[in-house]
Amino acid sequence: MKLFDLNRLSRNYGFLVKIGTAILYSVMVAVALNFFWHPGHIYSSGITGFAQIVNTVTSRYMPFTIPTEVMYFALNVPLFILAWFKIGREFTGYTIFAVAMSTIMMRFIQPTQISLDPILCAIFGAAVNGIGTGMALKSGISTGGLDILGIVVRKKTGMNYGKFNILVNLIIVLIAGFLFDWSRALYTALNIFINGRFIDSVYTQHNKLQVMIVTEHPNAIIEGIQEKMHRGITIFHDVEGAYGHTEKTVLLTIIDTYDLYDIRTTVEKCDPFVFMSVTEVQKVYGRFREQEVI
């Protein structure tokens, strides 16, 4: 009974942390967009950037204007469907909430009047959004858009997420040059670069993690992990739990931070009462499959 209460408390705490982080992210992306990017004519990366492009094109060449926040949500809808079938329902649920909150905040958090140098707009907009996105990713929340596409492309083709991200953002920079001028394209490139650096500084997805799993169902977990990712696993047999004096098995593996969501959901699906600890690793020697770093 106590173990059940602890598991439920842990799940509730995790849920509240993710919801709070999603709301914080939505506020920060709205501030970045409305206080810095729009006034400076700077484009964001990913889906937000494409939503800004549609807003600019419709306002200039169409008899109507599609607001950035509306297009932002609309572009994410097919990605929600993709994530639901290809990644997972819990992942998709948090993503929908984060994107919906961001859409609302983009609409209602508006500056009264602001006019800044475009370089300042690029730097501060990227910093605010990068910190918010990094915090969301670190809490296991997707911010939609390229997060979803990147995960699916990586699973299907093995293509490095960094390469995919650079390719998409290069298109945004080129469009920014044609819509405004090439100095604005350079500001957009600066914004995207700084945004990525802030995300990495908070999220540190290329860090290595040591995962220790204590379970009564080792075979199911091993099969589940190796089905999703190619990771070596060390097995410690005949381990006894001090509380219930039940026989358990300890599994030890090293992963990239980016794999943490997959391994956590896989392990919890195989054993709802599993004990799992995660610690950062300074350096890995021997046979370890590194992700290519861009």
Side-chain angles (χ1 to χ4, degrees):
M1 187 66 174
K2 290 182 179 179
L3 180 60
F4 175 76
D5 289 339
L6 288 174
N7 286 334
R8 185 172 62 181
L9 181 62
S10 177
R11 287 195 297 269
N12 290 340
Y13 175 75
F15 171 78
L16 292 175
V17 168
K18 290 184 177 183
I19 292 297
T21 306
I23 294 173
L24 178 61
Y25 162 75
S26 67
V27 172
M28 296 183 79
V29 71
V31 170
L33 178 70
N34 294 328
F35 283 71
F36 299 107
W37 291 334
H38 271 336
H41 302 296
I42 306 294
Y43 288 109
S44 172
S45 59
I47 293 298
T48 308
F50 280 113
Q52 290 177 267
I53 290 171
V54 172
N55 172 259
T56 301
V57 170
T58 54
S59 64
R60 285 188 175 190
Y61 306 111
M62 301 289 182
F64 57 87
T65 299
I66 300 178
T68 299
E69 63 273 13
V70 173
M71 199 65 214
Y72 168 77
F73 189 85
L75 289 173
N76 270 290
V77 169
L79 299 177
F80 296 154
I81 300 172
L82 181 65
W84 183 270
F85 290 104
K86 296 296 183 179
I87 301 177
R89 296 182 178 183
E90 180 182 351
F91 176 91
T92 307
Y94 285 120
T95 301
I96 293 173
F97 179 78
V99 171
M101 288 301 302
S102 299
T103 303
I104 294 171
M105 295 301 179
M106 287 177 187
R107 179 69 180 88
F108 291 104
I109 298 181
Q110 298 283 345
T112 52
Q113 185 176 3
I114 189 167
S115 179
L116 295 174
D117 181 88
I119 294 181
L120 294 178
C121 290
I123 293 173
F124 283 95
V128 172
N129 182 74
I131 292 171
T133 304
M135 292 174 62
L137 293 173
K138 197 165 187 177
S139 298
I141 301 173
S142 165
T143 57
L146 294 187
D147 294 346
I148 296 172
L149 285 177
I151 292 172
V152 173
V153 168
R154 179 170 169 265
K155 284 185 175 181
K156 291 294 184 181
T157 67
M159 181 180 181
N160 184 275
Y161 177 73
K163 290 181 179 178
F164 175 77
N165 190 60
I166 288 173
L167 178 63
V168 173
N169 290 329
L170 178 62
I171 296 172
I172 293 175
V173 171
L174 294 175
I175 294 175
F178 284 110
L179 288 180
F180 291 109
D181 55 61
W182 291 105
S183 64
R184 298 288 175 173
L186 294 177
Y187 296 146
T188 296
L190 175 66
N191 168 76
I192 292 172
F193 173 77
I194 295 174
N195 182 71
R197 297 301 295 175
F198 269 92
I199 291 174
D200 284 344
S201 66
V202 177
Y203 178 43
T204 57
Q205 72 177 37
H206 294 296
N207 282 1
K208 303 296 179 288
L209 301 174
Q210 177 178 282
V211 181
M212 184 179 71
I213 304 163
V214 182
T215 178
E216 296 181 26
H217 307 283
N219 292 333
I221 291 176
I222 291 170
E223 289 177 7
I225 291 174
Q226 293 185 339
E227 183 180 345
K228 280 184 172 290
M229 60 194 78
H230 299 288
R231 293 299 180 204
I233 301 172
T234 301
I235 306 172
F236 296 89
H237 294 288
D238 303 325
V239 177
E240 182 180 338
Y243 180 78
H245 296 284
T246 55
E247 184 177 328
K248 297 179 182 291
T249 301
V250 174
L251 307 177
L252 193 68
T253 186
I254 304 295
I255 63 171
D256 294 302
T257 305
Y258 198 84
D259 294 321
L260 184 58
Y261 176 83
D262 282 341
I263 198 170
R264 183 175 64 82
T265 53
T266 299
V267 169
E268 290 177 350
K269 181 179 179 181
C270 296
D271 184 359
F273 298 99
V274 71
F275 174 83
M276 185 169 68
S277 67
V278 181
T279 55
E280 290 188 4
V281 175
Q282 293 296 323
K283 188 67 178 177
V284 177
Y285 298 96
R287 298 180 63 185
F288 179 80
R289 180 172 166 266
E290 292 274 4
Q291 282 190 349
E292 183 180 358
V293 179
I294 295 300

